[in-house]
Amino acid sequence: MSVPGTGAAVAAPGGIEGAAGAAPPGPLLLGVRHHGPGSARAVLAALEAHRPAVLLVEGPPEADAVAGLAAHRGMRPPVALLARAVDDPGRAAFWPMAGFSPEWVALRWALERGVPVRFFDLPAAHTLALGDEDGEEKEEGPAGELRLDPLRVLAEAAGHGDPERWWEDVVEHRGVPPARTAGARPADPYAPFTALADAMTALREAHEGACGTPSGTSSGGAGHRRDAVREAHMRLRLREACGRFGGDRVAVVCGAWHVPALTARTTVTADRRLLKGLPRVRTEITWVPWTNERLARRSGYGAGITSPGWYGHLFAAPDRPVERWVTEAARLLREEGRIGAPAPSKPSASSPSPVSSVSVAHVIEAVRLADTLAALRGRPLPGLAETLDAVRAVLCEGSDVPLALVHDRLVVGDELGTVPPDAPAVPLQRDLARLQRSLRLKPEARERELDLDLREENAAARSRLLHRLRLLGVDWGEPVRGRSGGTGTFRETWRLRWRPELSVRIAEAGVWGTTVAAAAGARAEALARDAASLAETTELAERCLLAGLGKALPAVMRALADRAALDTDVGHLARALPALVRSVRYGDVRGTDAAALREVAEGIAERVCVG
């Protein structure tokens, strides 16, 4: 395939069967789409057929030191490589991986077989220094130049208006159908990558110079000049691996767009010239938990995907993916009681469960409808659109309300990955993990409410932890008004939701101390010194009491007394009084000595009355 000019040519990745072919000469270049289950299955097949001596994966070379943790039994995707600047922890970049990401399955394949793994993208030390703090893949390049979307160009060349649906048909559904019949010839494991490489080569030839990039520099993304630098580093690392292990023993897993650049005719001198003089910063790298919700955003490694839960199902299902997924949707709707009236408190034989309206017959009918829709729309298999349409019509009785639950829980999903405790981490992160275990307060990607009775020891400790984290800017929990709506001081309600970016916030907060209590206290004292108004200082005193920061309270009280003595504005004094009164009440219920606060509050009250 030379140019993606016809539907037959670009459909090759999903339609080439034939006899298993021989591996192409030189290093095995496996161009993929990040977070693609079809690409992941194809990568596994190619690696099994080729059996390389070394594996190169797109990612920062600093990750070589922590690559082995991917084989740890305590590591469960989705996870992400997190690189941060040592002197500026807020400057960070992520490389997320799901269980169906080609990079992840290749990494696990290599580790299970003792094959060395090398990450060969531009080092994070340069990436962070160049200002790519969030690793976001933007739609525009420098100076507002529009970036090329290779999938859209290929889909349009094939006569499809929706690039996502086209890619799902020709790549992501590859290997999804039921098991092949006995005696069928195996597919060529290298064919999809050869076809994609040809397509990307034709695209790059057609669009090179879109940003003024000269021929031979292999600018990636048709609009992102930094890709030329990245690809120069990739070529240097590839040459190094080929020289050590032999070209035919090297396998590479990277974004399909970069494959033509890895075969471009350039010299070592030219590539090193592109890398010369790049700024760099000292970096640290580790693994952190990730979420499906974050995979669905346009940020991080390879931008976002709209349906991580669906893609995860396509990768994990051994057979009949549509049937299994519709069955799971029916189970979810029954468990949530979204179909029919509320279940009676004591069901009997004469009062069947209302959720029985989602029956096996409904599942069978929904699967048939999905197959029919796929045939009418000219698709080889039912995709997500056909399956959702069938679920809406049959299981949800045409309503989008229960379908929203299916979308959130099954299409996107609420998975939160886990990382083993021996992964590199700042001391503050380790202390937080210890507290989470001791308080039985597990981070979850799904939002939930937590009601605390502060008269209980464990509940009071949980409250202090959450308030201390808020002082450090780690907003794992947000206080909300409880269901009772009461004004008592012995109950609190929190809305909890763990987000991956909180790992960066914890790294930033590590400059204040090695434990949550010490860091929150130091942060409170610094805020007291920098407070710009009396109201800020009184609010800070209240937060210190809520967080149980008795050691930091004297410094806050000194700042509060000084500001109260110097402030002559009655309005300022009046606005500061409610927080002080609340703090005195909190001191009573939390067992904190609030005598100093009471004295300041009474003094301010007198001055307000006089004023």
Side-chain angles (χ1 to χ4, degrees):
M1 154 176 172
S2 58
V3 291
T6 66
V10 293
I16 296 179
E17 295 300 333
L28 179 65
L29 303 180
L30 305 178
V32 300
R33 184 190 188 189
H34 304 299
H35 317 311
S39 293
R41 283 189 297 272
V43 163
L44 283 179
L47 291 177
E48 280 293 331
H50 193 70
R51 295 283 173 166
V54 65
L55 175 68
L56 302 185
V57 179
E58 184 179 338
E62 294 93 338
D64 290 354
V66 297
L69 286 172
H72 196 288
R73 65 174 55 187
M75 182 80 83
R76 181 173 61 84
V79 292
L81 288 167
L82 164 63
R84 57 177 175 256
V86 173
D87 300 325
D88 183 10
R91 177 175 292 188
F94 296 97
W95 287 263
M97 299 184 194
F100 51 83
S101 298
E103 297 84 1
W104 177 259
V105 299
L107 183 60
R108 290 294 300 264
W109 181 91
L111 293 174
E112 289 170 1
R113 291 159 180 77
V115 176
V117 177
R118 303 287 185 269
F119 289 92
F120 77 130
D121 203 345
L122 189 69
H126 296 312
T127 301
L128 297 178
L130 290 168
D132 201 6
E133 289 89 351
D134 58 2
E136 185 176 356
E137 295 283 349
K138 295 181 170 55
E139 289 297 319
E140 293 186 355
E145 295 159 338
L146 188 64
R147 297 194 64 187
L148 174 70
D149 182 354
L151 294 190
R152 181 172 296 279
V153 175
L154 292 176
E156 290 175 352
H160 289 257
D162 187 339
E164 290 293 331
R165 294 184 63 178
W166 172 80
W167 183 264
E168 189 176 67
D169 286 347
V170 300
V171 176
E172 304 310 345
H173 281 166
R174 183 178 176 82
V176 169
R180 305 178 191 278
T181 58
R185 292 184 301 173
D188 180 354
Y190 310 113
F193 302 106
T194 302
L196 281 175
D198 288 345
M200 294 303 168
T201 299
L203 281 176
R204 293 182 72 124
E205 289 175 352
H207 293 276
E208 72 175 2
C211 300
T213 307
S215 177
T217 59
S218 301
S219 170
H224 210 312
R225 292 190 182 96
R226 186 176 300 178
D227 282 355
V229 178
R230 293 176 56 201
E231 290 164 353
H233 190 272
M234 290 180 183
R235 286 191 293 268
L236 290 175
R237 294 273 287 190
L238 178 57
R239 290 189 187 100
E240 177 185 322
C242 291
R244 180 177 177 183
F245 295 93
D248 293 338
R249 305 296 310 283
V250 178
V252 175
V253 177
C254 65
W257 181 260
H258 302 299
V259 169
L262 299 183
T263 59
R265 295 191 176 186
T266 61
T267 64
V268 173
T269 302
D271 286 340
R272 287 178 176 169
R273 186 182 302 117
L274 284 173
L275 297 168
K276 186 177 181 180
L278 288 180
R280 61 183 301 127
V281 296
R282 289 195 304 132
T283 60
E284 293 177 340
I285 197 162
T286 187
W287 292 97
V288 295
W290 206 249
T291 65
N292 274 16
E293 189 269 337
R294 285 289 293 179
L295 283 172
R297 297 187 189 180
R298 290 197 62 81
S299 63
Y301 191 17
I305 52 174
T306 58
S307 50
W310 168 257
Y311 273 7
H313 172 78
L314 289 183
F315 182 71
D319 57 20
R320 301 183 179 276
V322 175
E323 290 88 336
R324 292 175 181 273
W325 196 86
V326 174
T327 301
E328 185 66 16
R331 181 199 61 79
L332 173 65
L333 292 172
R334 284 196 296 266
E335 287 182 353
E336 295 293 329
R338 296 300 180 120
I339 305 298
S345 56
K346 294 182 179 180
S348 62
S350 60
S351 59
S353 172
V355 297
S356 63
S357 57
V358 183
S359 64
V360 175
H362 285 82
V363 172
I364 294 173
E365 185 61 31
V367 172
R368 287 176 175 171
L369 179 56
D371 288 333
T372 302
L373 289 173
L376 288 173
R377 296 170 182 176
R379 305 194 68 180
L381 288 170
L384 179 59
E386 289 73 31
T387 307
L388 281 179
D389 286 345
V391 168
R392 178 195 287 110
V394 180
L395 302 187
C396 301
E397 300 177 354
S399 174
D400 285 335
V401 176
L403 189 68
L405 175 68
V406 174
H407 180 273
D408 291 343
R409 300 279 285 276
L410 297 183
V411 177
V412 176
D414 51 15
E415 290 292 318
L416 173 65
T418 59
V419 172
D422 48 351
V426 296
L428 183 63
Q429 175 68 65
R430 295 192 182 280
D431 185 60
L432 175 57
R434 178 187 63 81
L435 292 170
Q436 289 170 336
R437 290 191 299 269
S438 64
L439 297 177
R440 299 186 298 279
L441 198 57
K442 183 180 179 181
E444 295 179 13
R446 188 188 308 175
E447 187 177 280
R448 67 185 181 100
E449 283 195 359
L450 178 68
D451 291 317
L452 299 176
D453 185 339
L454 302 180
R455 295 168 294 186
E456 299 175 0
E457 183 177 351
N458 183 265
R462 288 177 169 186
S463 172
R464 288 193 294 270
L465 173 62
L466 294 171
H467 280 293
R468 288 171 180 176
L469 290 175
R470 281 176 58 82
L471 267 170
L472 292 171
V474 182
D475 295 329
W476 177 17
E478 177 186 358
V480 296
R481 180 177 289 275
R483 294 189 181 92
S484 63
T487 58
T489 58
F490 61 86
R491 301 197 71 86
E492 280 185 350
T493 302
W494 291 82
R495 183 177 293 119
L496 301 182
R497 186 177 190 181
W498 186 264
R499 302 182 306 279
E501 56 265 28
L502 295 181
S503 299
V504 179
R505 302 290 174 265
I506 294 169
E508 289 182 283
V511 300
W512 298 107
T514 58
T515 67
V516 175
R523 175 63 171 157
E525 293 181 13
L527 290 173
R529 291 192 300 268
D530 299 336
S533 66
L534 179 61
E536 287 184 28
T537 314
T538 54
E539 180 188 2
L540 182 60
E542 180 181 16
R543 296 176 69 184
C544 285
L545 275 177
L546 294 172
L549 299 176
K551 292 184 178 180
L553 196 56
V556 177
M557 288 305 304
R558 286 194 298 271
L560 176 59
D562 291 343
R563 289 195 175 277
L566 296 175
D567 201 325
T568 59
D569 189 303
V570 175
H572 292 173
L573 296 173
R575 282 192 292 271
L577 191 57
L580 285 173
V581 173
R582 287 195 303 269
S583 298
V584 172
R585 297 176 68 204
Y586 292 144
D588 293 337
V589 74
R590 294 172 184 268
T592 306
D593 184 9
L597 276 173
R598 182 183 298 274
E599 182 178 343
V600 174
E602 290 175 350
I604 290 180
E606 290 178 1
R607 292 176 60 191
V608 169
C609 292
V610 171

